[in-house]
C-alpha cells in the first residue's frame, strides 16, 4: 500500500506492506485523516517525545530510528475482519476509533507505532472493540474531527467550568478551538478567546467565542472585574463576608510554549483554575509562591476517555459542534509534506485533512 513514512526527520511517500489482521483486529481503508500538532512536532522531535514518555512511565514501544506512519485523527471504512472478531460491523461500514491497539507488550498508539501505521496510509489495522460506527449524515471529514475535538471535551470535563465561571481560552489553534466548542456545547459562557493570529480569532468567533481578543492590542486579563470575577484575595474576602462568592476564572492554556504558564500565573485573578492543554516539550519555569499566594489551581490534561470520544462524535452528529470552520484544506498523500510546512503559518491554515485514496 501507499503511505507517507517518517524516515529520519523526513516525510517520504513510499510503498509498504499491506497490513494483516491478528486476533481482534480489522483492516480498514483510510478515508480521511487530520494532521495533528503533535505530528508536526514529531517529525523532528520524536526522539525527545519518546524519551519524555519513558521518563513519565510509558513502556517505550517506539523506535524513533525506524519507519513510522503518522495519523491518528481518522475516519475509515471496514474492509475485512481478522480472526477472533465478532464482525458486528459489516465491511463497508464507516468508523472512527480511539487510535490505540492492545498488544501483549502494552497499548500502542496507531500513528505513533512502528507496527501499526496511522491514517497517512491507504489502509490501517484497528481494534474491533474500539470501533464506533459513523452516523449516516456525517461526512468523512466531519467524522475525522472526532479525535481532535475529543481533546477539548476532555479538557472541559476535567475543569470546573460551569454557570458561575468566566472562561478564558489562551491560544486558538485546534486544541483551543476544541475547548471553545466543548464549552459552548454545554451552553457555558462567557467564553473569552485570545490569539495573536487574525485568522484564528475569526475561527474562534465561528465556534461561538463570546469575546475575541488580540493580545497584542488588549490585555485579555483586563476584563475579569467587569464579568464579576474578584481579582484579589481581599476582594474575594469582602464578598465572602457579605455572603457572596463572585464568579471564578477558568483559564485553558492551549499554546504549549515556555513562559506561557508563568505569564498566566502572574496575570490571572486569585483562585483561578488553570487547565494546561498545550503540550510544551521544553523545560519551563514557574514561581510557586505566586501560585500559593493567589490560591491558583494548576491542572494538566491530555487525551480523552472512551466515553468523551463517543460523546464528541454525538455532538458533531447532532450539530452541537460544527467542525467545518476549523478545516482549511485537504491534500492527498503526496501533498502531506507540503501541508506540514504550510501549517507552520497560523494565518494560512488551521486543520488540513489527508485523503489517502486521492492522488494529484
Amino acid at each position: 500500500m501507499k503511505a507517507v513514512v517518517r524516515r529520519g526527520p523526513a516525510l517520504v511517500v513510499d510503498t509498504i506492506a499491506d497490513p494483516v489482521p491478528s486476533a481482534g483486529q480489522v483492516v480498514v481503508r483510510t478515508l480521511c485523516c487530520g494532521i495533528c500538532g503533535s505530528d508536526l512536532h514529531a517529525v523532528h522531535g520524536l526522539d525527545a517525545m519518546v524519551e519524555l514518555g519513558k521518563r513519565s512511565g510509558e513502556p517505550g514501544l517506539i523506535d524513533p530510528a525506524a519507519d513510522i506512519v503518522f495519523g491518528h485523527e481518522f475516519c475509515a471504512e471496514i474492509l475485512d475482519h481478522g480472526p477472533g472478531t465478532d464482525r458486528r460491523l459489516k465491511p463497508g461500514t464507516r468508523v472512527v476509533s480511539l487510535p490505540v491497539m492492545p498488544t501483549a507488550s502494552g497499548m500502542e498508539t496507531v500513528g505513533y507505532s512502528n507496527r501499526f501505521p496511522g491514517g497517512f496510509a491507504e489502509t490501517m489495522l484497528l481494534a474491533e472493540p474500539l470501533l464506533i460506527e459513523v452516523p449516516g449524515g456525517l461526512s468523512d471529514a466531519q467524522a475525522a474531527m472526532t479525535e481532535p475535538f475529543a481533546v477539548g471535551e476532555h479538557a472541559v470535563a476535567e475543569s470546573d467550568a460551569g454557570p458561575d465561571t468566566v472562561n478564558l481560552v489562551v491560544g486558538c489553534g485546534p486544541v483551543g478551538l476544541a475547548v471553545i466548542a466543548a464549552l459552548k456545547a454545554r451552553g457555558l459562557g462567557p467564553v473569552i478567546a485570545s490569539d495573536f493570529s487574525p485568522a484564528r480569532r475569526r475561527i474562534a468567533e465561528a465556534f461561538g467565542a463570546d469575546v475575541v481578543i488580540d493580545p497584542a492590542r488588549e490585555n485579555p486579563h483586563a476584563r475579569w472585574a467587569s464579568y464579576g470575577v474578584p481579582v484579589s484575595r481581599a476582594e474575594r474576602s469582602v464578598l465572602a463576608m457579605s455572603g457572596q462568592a463572585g464568579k471564578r476564572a477558568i483559564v485553558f492554556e492551549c499554546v504549549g510554549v515556555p513562559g506561557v504558564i508563568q505569564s498566566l500565573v502572574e496575570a490571572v485573578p486569585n483562585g483561578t483554575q488553570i487547565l494546561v492543554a498545550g503540550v510544551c516539550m521544553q523545560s519551563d519555569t514557574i514561581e510557586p509562591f505566586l501560585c500559593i499566594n493567589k490560591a491558583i489551581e494548576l491542572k494538566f490534561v491530555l487525551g480523552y476517555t472512551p466515553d468523551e470520544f463517543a460523546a464528541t462524535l454525538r455532538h458533531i452528529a447532532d450539530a452541537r459542534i460544527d467542525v467545518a470552520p476549523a478545516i482549511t484544506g485537504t491534500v492527498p498523500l503526496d501533498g502531506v509534506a507540503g501541508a506540514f510546512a504550510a501549517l507552520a503559518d497560523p494565518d494560512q491554515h488551521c486543520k488540513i485533512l489527508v485523503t489517502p485514496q486521492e492522488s494529484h
Side-chain angles (χ1 to χ4, degrees):
M1 66 173 175
K2 193 176 179 183
V4 177
V5 181
R6 180 205 182 254
R7 191 163 289 154
L11 295 172
V12 296
V13 180
D14 203 354
T15 299
I16 63 175
D18 292 331
V20 178
S22 298
Q25 299 173 358
V26 298
V27 183
V28 299
R29 175 187 291 113
T30 311
L31 301 174
C32 193
C33 184
I35 299 174
C36 178
S38 60
D39 299 331
L40 303 181
H41 291 299
V43 173
H44 297 285
L46 188 58
D47 293 80
M49 291 174 69
V50 171
E51 178 58 28
L52 288 170
K54 290 178 181 177
R55 287 172 56 190
S56 62
E58 295 177 8
L61 301 176
I62 305 174
D63 178 3
D67 286 358
I68 287 183
V69 177
F70 293 147
H72 58 277
E73 307 174 351
F74 49 75
C75 172
E77 176 190 358
I78 295 176
L79 293 178
D80 199 5
H81 298 76
T85 51
D86 61 23
R87 300 174 181 264
R88 61 185 176 85
L89 297 175
K90 298 178 181 179
T93 303
R94 292 186 308 142
V95 295
V96 293
S97 172
L98 274 72
V100 293
M101 181 68 76
T103 72
S105 54
M107 299 288 282
E108 295 204 34
T109 300
V110 176
Y112 287 109
S113 165
N114 303 115
R115 293 198 293 163
F116 299 105
F120 300 168
E122 291 178 314
T123 58
M124 295 184 291
L125 293 177
L126 298 176
E128 186 189 44
L130 300 179
L131 300 180
I132 306 176
E133 184 173 1
V134 174
L138 286 188
S139 67
D140 299 339
Q142 289 173 302
M145 299 293 275
T146 302
E147 199 280 344
F149 276 79
V151 172
E153 171 66 24
H154 177 69
V156 173
E158 288 291 304
S159 78
D160 292 337
D164 294 324
T165 66
V166 179
N167 315 287
L168 170 63
V169 179
V170 179
C172 298
V175 173
L177 296 173
V179 169
I180 294 169
L183 288 166
K184 300 310 291 187
R186 287 165 165 76
L188 297 179
V191 175
I192 305 165
S194 174
D195 199 292
F196 289 101
S197 164
R200 292 196 170 178
R201 292 197 301 272
R202 287 193 295 271
I203 299 174
E205 282 186 310
F207 274 97
D210 300 292
V211 179
V212 178
I213 291 175
D214 176 2
R217 302 183 63 181
E218 178 185 352
N219 183 351
H221 301 281
R223 303 193 186 195
W224 292 117
S226 67
Y227 285 110
V229 178
V231 174
S232 68
R233 182 191 301 176
E235 290 175 82
R236 192 168 287 280
S237 297
V238 169
L239 280 173
M241 285 188 287
S242 62
Q244 303 176 59
K247 294 197 172 184
R248 187 185 184 193
I250 308 290
V251 177
F252 296 87
E253 190 280 298
C254 303
V255 180
V257 172
V260 174
I261 297 175
Q262 172 65 14
S263 71
L264 292 175
V265 165
E266 293 190 22
V268 297
N270 181 270
T272 294
Q273 182 186 53
I274 301 175
L275 282 294
V276 182
V279 180
C280 178
M281 293 177 56
Q282 295 84 37
S283 295
D284 204 355
T285 301
I286 63 169
E287 294 176 277
F289 177 79
L290 294 179
C291 299
I292 293 167
N293 209 37
K294 297 173 75 173
I296 290 171
E297 180 183 345
L298 195 58
K299 190 171 186 179
F300 294 79
V301 295
L302 177 71
Y304 38 77
T305 67
D307 287 344
E308 290 162 352
F309 188 93
T312 302
L313 178 62
R314 289 196 301 271
H315 290 165
I316 296 171
D318 295 342
R320 293 174 67 183
I321 295 177
D322 178 9
V323 298
I327 302 171
T328 54
T330 60
V331 293
L333 291 178
D334 49 10
V336 168
F340 270 55
L343 284 164
D345 181 357
D347 283 320
Q348 183 177 358
H349 279 291
C350 179
K351 177 68 70 174
I352 296 178
L353 303 180
V354 181
T355 50
Q357 307 305 321
E358 298 180 5
S359 60
H360 279 316

